[in-house]
Amino acid sequence: MKGIWWKSLTVFILLYVILAGFLVPLKPGISSVNPSRIMAGDSVVLQVIGYNTFFTKSNGTQGWLKLNDEYALPAKEISIVSDVSITANFEIPDGFPL
């Protein structure tokens, strides 16, 4: 009985880790974007699906199409479809390196 305290502690810690893993929500993010491929010189409408997002409650949603630190395009128009879905219109210039 003397050496069993660490086994009880292990069970308690394991239960804590499992409960915390299921109860703590993840941060918002993007789960998918459609279409996944675009061409330079085109006008494209991106459908963005988010995870744990609340787009309808946001003020002034902005969207950027970023290639790297040098190249980024702002969205011409953003339409909020639902809490987890938006559509963004982009006009890709001919010289944009894709």
Side-chain angles (χ1 to χ4, degrees):
M1 205 64 168
K2 205 174 196 183
I4 202 165
W5 67 269
W6 62 273
K7 292 180 182 179
S8 301
L9 181 64
T10 303
V11 169
F12 175 73
I13 291 173
L14 185 62
L15 287 174
Y16 173 76
V17 168
I18 290 172
L19 285 174
F22 281 117
L23 296 178
V24 175
L26 298 175
K27 292 184 179 181
I30 295 175
S31 60
S32 69
V33 176
N34 199 11
S36 61
R37 188 173 179 99
I38 57 176
M39 300 297 290
D42 288 342
S43 180
V44 65
V45 177
L46 293 179
Q47 298 173 350
V48 180
I49 306 295
Y51 173 80
N52 202 17
T53 53
F54 302 98
F55 292 127
T56 57
K57 296 178 184 175
S58 66
N59 294 334
T61 302
Q62 296 180 354
W64 293 84
L65 187 60
K66 183 177 177 183
L67 178 64
N68 54 27
D69 290 337
E70 293 181 36
Y71 299 103
L73 293 174
K76 297 294 178 185
E77 180 185 353
I78 294 181
S79 302
I80 298 173
V81 178
S82 67
D83 272 340
V84 296
S85 178
I86 61 172
T87 58
N89 296 334
F90 291 96
E91 291 182 17
I92 314 299
D94 287 330
F96 197 69
L98 293 175

